[in-house]
């Protein structure tokens, strides 16, 4: 399998180079040259996560990794999940289901992709005899998932910047209590935006970037999308088979998760409806409603992992909509960057049709949903998952088609919101029970590029 850029200019790459490159050299995102087709019957053991994962992902990996080695990486990645089913389904009645994606080591759905991507990076770098320094900024969630995915891997160091005193204690401790020599936490005396700016500045410093061999595992990496296609297929297998129609509702931020659902559809799964669920930061919902993409201010909400201004993975959908015309994608996004807004051709917008729906919910509705669902079914939702369930209920079109709402975080990750909605503070799962007693490792630094760069050098030395 070969990969092309959504902007059409960057070199065509194989899987290994696409994995390590992340962003394409022309600023675009890599997508496979063609979409493989799912066998309608599937493998012998429908609903088995690892078996389905191997079948779904193998065509994307192509010959880049030996099948036996790839199978080992996939098995190891999903053995870190607490549930044997990896992503268990919970029946809420009336054909409505929750797909719990939060049973990985850091209790959020990012683990599903990152546990595999960390291992893929290590494998590919090891094969090449190379070593990288992963750097990233986090407002809480992504950092812990990336750290857990990269800890103790021979071919990488990982340096994660978080805003000092501005992440919750659970979030901070999920990062700082990891006792691995290749994990380096930095608490920056500044905001999350400052952390992001520092990371961007480190990448922009070409000499530094090359000397440190900087790399990233961010949400535009193709391999993350690839890993997320799997649970859509697994859910279908568990609810009537690959040929039966099934709808999904996806709590959306960067649109990586929702786009993975679209890939499952392009590969042949019968998904008549994909619902994009937003909090008050609703750029994607507005895009599906009106074909207009407009930059807004980020509003902080109870579902912070969906508080984004621009959903970068929309670019992959635009590429498909525009018939894989990289120049047209570039023109649209240049317009967007220059003016803060862009409008899709109405004819193209109409082709989105019934395949996509969107809905947005503010924090008050989210709190009520968490309280109501705990009363009704006893299921305790985190705020992100509640947004997904609200949208599933509001947008569901055909009651004869099962609707699966993706649950993206464990309630214990957002204990304050859940406690104030339900009156009960959700407890951490047993394996994280002593998190608050574990020793922390973290360096506090001023919001100063030179100081951060000197620290990164000392970590890698
Ligand atoms: C990252 C994240 C999301 C958003 O997923 P995207 O793929 O960025 O759309 C939703 N919920 C949680 C808990 C997350 O961590």
């Amino acid at each position: 399998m070969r990969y092309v850029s959504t902007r059409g200019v960057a070199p065509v790459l194989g899987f290994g180079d696409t994995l390590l490159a992340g962003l394409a050299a022309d600023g675009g995102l890599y997508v496979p040259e063609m979409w493989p087709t799912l066998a309608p019957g599937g493998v012998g053991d429908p609903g088995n996560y690892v078996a389905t994962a191997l079948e779904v992902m193998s065509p994307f990996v192509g010959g880049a990794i030996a099948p036996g080695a790839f199978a080992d990486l996939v098995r190891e990645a999903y053995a870190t999940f607490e549930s044997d089913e990896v992503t268990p389904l919970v029946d809420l009645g009336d054909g409505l289901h929750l797909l719990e994606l939060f049973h990985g080591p850091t209790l959020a759905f990012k683990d599903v992709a990152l546990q595999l991507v960390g291992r893929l990076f290590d494998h590919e770098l090891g094969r090449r005899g190379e070593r990288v320094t992963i750097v990233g900024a986090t407002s809480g969630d992504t950092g812990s998932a990336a750290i857990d995915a990269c800890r103790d891997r021979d071919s990488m160091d990982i340096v994660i910047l978080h805003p000092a005193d501005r992440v919750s204690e659970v979030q901070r401790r999920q990062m700082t209590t990891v006792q691995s020599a290749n994990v380096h936490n930095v608490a920056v005396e500044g905001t999350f935006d400052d952390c992001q700016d520092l990371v961007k500045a480190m990448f922009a410093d070409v000499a530094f970037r090359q000397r440190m061999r900087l790399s990233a595992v961010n949400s535009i990496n193709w391999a993350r999308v690839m890993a997320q296609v799997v649970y859509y297929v697994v859910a279908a297998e568990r609810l009537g088979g690959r040929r039966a129609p099934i709808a999904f509702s996806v709590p959306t931020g960067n649109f990586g998760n929702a786009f993975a659902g679209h890939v499952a559809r392009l590969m042949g799964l019968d998904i008549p409806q994909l619902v994009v669920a937003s909090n008050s930061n609703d750029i994607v919902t507005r895009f599906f409603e009106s074909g207009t993409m407009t930059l807004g201010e980020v509003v902080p909400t109870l579902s912070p992992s969906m508080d984004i201004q621009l959903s970068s993975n929309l670019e992959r959908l635009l590429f498909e909509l525009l018939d894989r015309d990289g120049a047209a994608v570039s023109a649209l996004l240049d317009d967007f960057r220059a003016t803060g807004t862009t409008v899709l051709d109405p004819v193209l917008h109409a082709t989105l049709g019934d395949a996509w729906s969107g809905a947005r919910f503010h924090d008050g509705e989210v709190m009520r949903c968490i309280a109501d669902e705990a009363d009704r079914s006893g299921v305790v939702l985190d705020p992100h998952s509640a947004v997904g369930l609200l949208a599933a209920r509001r947008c569901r079109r055909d009651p004869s088609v099962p609707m699966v709402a993706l649950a993206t975080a464990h309630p214990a990750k957002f204990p304050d919101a859940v406690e104030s909605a339900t009156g009960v503070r959700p407890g951490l799962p047993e394996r994280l029970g002593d998190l608050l007693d574990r020793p922390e490792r973290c360096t506090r630094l001023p919001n100063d590029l030179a100081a951060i760069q000197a620290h990164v050098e000392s970590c890698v030395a």
Side-chain angles (χ1 to χ4, degrees):
M1 179 68 82
R2 301 189 327 150
Y3 289 84
V4 297
S5 165
T6 50
R7 309 261 172 113
V9 179
V12 174
L13 301 180
F15 179 79
D17 288 322
T18 301
L19 173 74
L20 298 183
L23 197 68
D26 56 7
L29 276 54
Y30 275 108
V31 287
E33 212 164 37
M34 45 150 291
W35 299 110
T37 311
L38 284 170
V43 283
D45 192 5
N48 177 289
Y49 198 92
V50 167
T52 301
L54 287 172
E55 188 203 339
V56 169
M57 292 191 287
S58 289
F60 293 117
V61 175
I65 304 177
F70 184 58
D72 287 344
L73 296 176
V74 171
R75 227 173 273 124
E76 284 167 25
Y78 297 109
T80 66
F81 280 60
E82 194 86 309
S83 164
D84 289 342
E85 296 170 293
V86 182
T87 58
L89 273 169
V90 176
D91 190 347
L92 296 178
D94 299 325
L96 201 60
H97 304 263
L98 270 189
L99 184 65
E100 295 184 342
L101 304 178
F102 54 71
H103 294 282
T106 74
L107 310 181
F109 103 101
K110 302 279 189 301
D111 288 329
V112 180
L114 283 170
Q115 283 295 320
L116 180 64
V117 170
R119 285 170 172 81
L120 289 172
F121 255 69
D122 196 43
H123 182 271
E124 184 63 18
L125 290 164
R127 196 180 66 76
R128 296 175 183 213
E130 291 176 12
R131 192 180 168 82
V132 297
T133 308
I134 308 269
V135 294
T138 187
S139 54
D141 263 0
T142 322
S144 54
I147 284 172
D148 204 280
C150 296
R151 65 188 294 178
D152 302 320
R153 311 234 167 270
D154 294 335
S155 59
M156 57 187 86
D157 281 284
I158 176 164
V159 184
I160 296 290
L161 277 46
H162 69 263
D165 311 321
R166 291 178 200 239
V167 299
S168 76
E169 182 173 18
V170 169
Q171 287 179 325
R172 186 189 74 239
R173 284 180 164 276
Q174 281 190 306
M175 298 189 280
T176 57
T177 60
V178 174
Q179 303 294 327
S180 301
N182 73 330
V183 170
H184 314 279
N185 280 286
V186 179
V188 176
E189 292 167 344
T191 63
F192 171 57
D193 286 338
D194 294 330
C195 295
Q196 270 191 317
D197 288 344
L198 287 163
V199 169
K200 276 189 203 142
M202 283 193 270
F203 273 97
D205 179 343
V206 175
F208 181 78
R209 184 177 78 210
Q210 289 175 347
R211 198 165 63 249
M212 296 291 104
R213 306 195 55 86
L214 292 192
S215 182
V217 287
N218 44 30
S219 73
I220 52 94
N221 196 298
W222 163 254
R224 282 181 61 172
V225 176
M226 170 187 86
Q228 292 171 7
V229 177
V230 173
Y231 48 74
Y232 287 91
V233 182
V234 167
E237 289 173 349
R238 291 178 186 162
L239 286 175
R242 290 185 184 182
R243 290 188 187 83
I246 182 168
F248 291 91
S249 174
V250 190
T252 294
N254 255 323
F255 197 67
N257 199 356
F259 185 75
H262 188 59
V263 172
R265 179 152 70 188
L266 294 169
M267 292 174 75
L269 213 61
D270 184 2
I271 306 178
Q273 193 183 17
L274 261 175
V275 179
V276 173
S278 302
N279 63 25
S280 304
N281 300 289
D282 61 346
I283 184 167
V284 191
T285 309
R286 283 182 281 122
F287 173 77
F288 286 111
E289 279 169 359
S290 64
T292 305
M293 212 159 76
T294 307
L295 224 49
E297 281 288 295
V298 175
V299 185
T301 71
L302 293 173
S303 42
S305 300
M306 293 153 64
D307 291 347
I308 51 100
Q309 212 181 8
L310 176 60
S311 302
S312 38
N313 275 293
L314 260 187
E315 179 162 345
R316 290 190 160 111
L317 181 66
L318 290 174
F319 185 64
E320 296 300 321
L321 276 178
L322 294 167
D323 253 345
R324 306 203 134 210
D325 178 347
V329 173
S330 285
L332 203 73
L333 292 171
D334 287 347
D335 180 34
F336 180 66
R337 199 167 312 111
T339 64
T341 183
T342 193
V343 184
L344 193 63
D345 182 318
V347 176
L348 284 180
H349 180 243
T351 64
L352 292 168
D354 290 341
W356 296 91
S357 333
R360 74 184 66 72
F361 299 91
H362 55 72
D363 281 348
E365 295 167 291
V366 170
M367 293 292 276
R368 253 194 322 278
C369 172
I370 296 173
D372 289 350
E373 199 53 44
D375 280 347
R376 199 188 65 83
S377 65
V379 171
V380 179
L381 300 164
D382 98 289
H384 303 77
S385 308
V387 172
L389 183 59
L390 282 164
R393 288 215 167 96
R394 176 171 303 168
C395 297
R396 189 173 183 199
R397 244 191 341 256
D398 184 347
S400 72
V401 174
M403 167 64 85
V404 177
L406 303 188
T408 52
H410 191 288
K413 239 182 143 151
F414 299 92
D416 296 335
V418 174
E419 182 176 14
S420 75
T422 63
V424 180
R425 194 163 184 84
L428 285 167
E430 204 166 317
R431 61 173 161 168
L432 284 168
D434 66 344
L435 186 70
L436 300 179
D437 303 319
R438 294 180 197 167
E440 295 188 76
R441 290 167 62 239
C442 185
T443 307
R444 191 178 175 109
L445 290 173
N447 175 17
D448 174 70
L449 180 61
I452 305 279
Q453 286 183 317
H455 181 70
V456 172
E457 300 235 17
S458 73
C459 291
V460 173

